[in-house]
Amino acid sequence: MSPVRVAYLGPEGTFTHQAALAMAPQGAQLVPLPVVTDVYAQVESGSAQFGIVAIESTVEGYVVPSLDALVAARNVVAVDETFVAVSFDAFVRAGSENTAKTEVMAHPVGLAQCQEFISANGLEPIPASSNAAACRDVQDHQIALGPALCGELYGLALHAKDVSDFAGARTRFLLITDRGQARASFDELRSGSAPLMRSMLAVTPRATGPGVLARISGALGERGVNMSSLITRPLKALEGKYTFIVTLDGAPWEDDLHDVIEGLLAAGDAVKTLGVFPARGEIDDSIDESRIAPLSADSQSSTEQAREALLW
């Protein structure tokens, strides 16, 4: 019997590889792929039974290419999640330590998370398909940013340790599979004692205008369904038309969320379930006050501070 195939954004050494090692079924064959859309395509076609994709970072927010691919996929759904601690080391090719460095390579999200280091060293950022690919392909005049594992995997010399702008960053990853396989596992959850579940929905209002978002959030409030995340994605090439991606407590077959979805359908909205998985905590449970937008007003602000912050 062939082993279960699990596709992920490769090569070996990516943060996604770390998530795959944690999430893949025992004995699974891990299949590294060059771009994240290939992971969705492999699962969609049945070439891989599962895929691992990054979906959200505590520093850069949602991973837009992955989110858009999840929305666009016809036969893919997320069935589990995990979190991976993210920090970046700076590596150079062994033997090139004395060569002047003019460029830095990493995945675009990685480059965004190490801006202070890049600016301080006057480096030109070069995007790579993944952080591990940057480490694998780094040239003598370049620095590659990636997880500590990459230095060992690719025989690199450490240039600088932990060059991330923010300590304690984490990324959330989803386990995806085809919708038929997911439905079978959901049937088992329906009939048993299910854990606390979380769902991702794509909601596309067909009628737009004032109050659309209030109508959707109001329906959630009336049924006591908690919304932990909301992001908008444009309908491609259509001005002013959006899909709302919402993450909610509960599963679509549970009464409260089922009623909410029924109400959205009755209002003419198009709704698609993107994922249903056990809730494994928030990507970050607390708020670091130092990360709130500078100059923000709150209930403790003076009248003058509020006027300056709010421009009223």
Side-chain angles (χ1 to χ4, degrees), residues 10-206:
E12 290 185 348
T14 61
F15 292 113
T16 313
H17 183 211
Q18 294 182 36
L21 291 172
M23 298 186 81
Q26 188 172 6
Q29 177 188 357
L30 300 184
V31 183
L33 296 172
V35 292
V36 71
T37 49
D38 287 349
V39 177
Y40 285 93
Q42 288 265 313
V43 174
E44 186 113 41
S45 69
S47 298
Q49 286 75 43
F50 296 99
I52 311 288
V53 294
I55 199 68
E56 185 181 8
S57 159
T58 56
V59 176
E60 290 299 303
Y62 275 91
V63 182
V64 171
S66 187
L67 182 64
D68 285 351
L70 182 59
V71 173
R74 299 186 64 86
N75 188 36
V76 171
V77 66
V79 294
D80 207 349
E81 65 177 353
T82 193
F83 301 89
V84 172
V86 172
S87 65
F88 290 88
D89 291 344
F91 298 102
V92 297
R93 289 180 71 172
S96 75
E97 291 89 337
N98 295 325
T99 302
K101 308 303 179 188
T102 58
E103 297 176 346
V104 59
M105 292 177 65
H107 186 275
V109 174
L111 293 172
Q113 294 188 36
C114 302
Q115 283 297 305
E116 291 182 11
F117 171 81
I118 294 171
S119 297
N121 288 275
L123 299 168
E124 179 185 354
I126 306 296
S129 60
S130 70
N131 300 306
C135 292
R136 180 195 62 197
D137 300 334
V138 65
Q139 301 299 304
D140 286 355
H141 67 288
Q142 295 176 324
I143 293 172
L145 306 177
L149 175 64
C150 281
E152 188 176 324
L153 278 173
Y154 298 109
L156 302 176
L158 181 66
H159 178 79
K161 185 75 175 172
D162 194 5
V163 299
S164 310
D165 293 343
F166 300 101
R170 295 200 302 162
T171 295
R172 182 162 67 101
F173 293 85
L174 298 178
L175 177 70
I176 59 173
T177 190
D178 71 81
R179 299 180 82 86
Q181 183 167 310
R183 181 175 288 278
S185 66
F186 294 159
D187 287 343
E188 294 179 12
L189 287 173
R190 284 193 187 95
S191 60
S193 178
L196 177 64
M197 303 296 287
R198 178 170 291 165
S199 299
M200 287 180 68
L201 304 181
V203 182
T204 308
R206 286 195 169 92

